Amino acid sequence: TVSTTLDMEQVRIVLEWGAAPRDLDSHLTGPTSNGSNFHIYFSNKSYSESGNKIADLDLDDTSSYGPETTTIYNPIEGEYVFYVYNWTGSPDIKTSGATVKVYNGNSNEPAYVFSVPLTGDGRYWTVFKYNSKTRRVTPVNIVSASVQNN
């Protein structure tokens, strides 16, 4: 369920999964104004600059199903990467039934729906890249031993 209405430039990302593995974690990396990158995840849930909330993770679910919701409120121009990490490691992330829904602007219908791939090996599911200038989502959708951000 989408919690609040978004402005046109905002993006909401919702991760849901089955009973196992118990703990999947949402991760978002993105650009900062000084040319570095921020990283939002369970132990760093929000990023702001000059009092402006750029993005946040509203809830870290550690007991199956989700949802975990990440929102980009005030995007800094550049590329963002969203990925999921299988924190518990077992069972394999490919058996989780996980989905990621991406909502753009003020729509209550997801613009994109990604299902965890049934191929690949590792604890990381790199789901997509987002270019805030063009507002384009580029699917990556790869399970691997590390984040795929090239």
Side-chain angles (χ1 to χ4, degrees), residues 15-25 61-66 68 84-98 116 122-123 125:
L15 167 65
E16 296 175 307
W17 66 98
R22 181 180 48 78
D23 191 8
L24 295 183
D25 287 324
D61 186 332
T62 60
S63 59
S64 302
Y65 304 105
E68 289 195 2
V84 177
Y85 179 67
N86 184 357
W87 193 86
T88 53
S90 180
D92 193 297
I93 194 170
K94 296 181 305 243
T95 67
S96 68
V116 67
R123 292 171 73 166
W125 171 28

Side-chain angles (χ1 to χ4, degrees), residues 22-95:
R22 181 180 48 78
D23 191 8
L24 295 183
D25 287 324
S26 298
H27 288 256
L28 178 71
T29 61
T32 65
S33 294
N34 69 8
S36 62
N37 283 300
F38 69 82
H39 182 187
I40 291 175
Y41 60 108
F42 65 90
S43 68
N44 186 38
K45 292 183 180 177
S46 186
Y47 178 73
S48 297
E49 284 190 10
S50 304
N52 255 352
K53 185 186 291 186
I54 305 303
D56 74 3
L57 168 65
D58 74 341
L59 175 68
D60 177 37
D61 186 332
T62 60
S63 59
S64 302
Y65 304 105
E68 289 195 2
T69 304
T70 304
T71 305
I72 303 171
Y73 292 98
N74 296 294
I76 295 170
E77 192 172 295
E79 185 173 83
Y80 296 72
V81 176
F82 182 80
Y83 65 94
V84 177
Y85 179 67
N86 184 357
W87 193 86
T88 53
S90 180
D92 193 297
I93 194 170
K94 296 181 305 243
T95 67

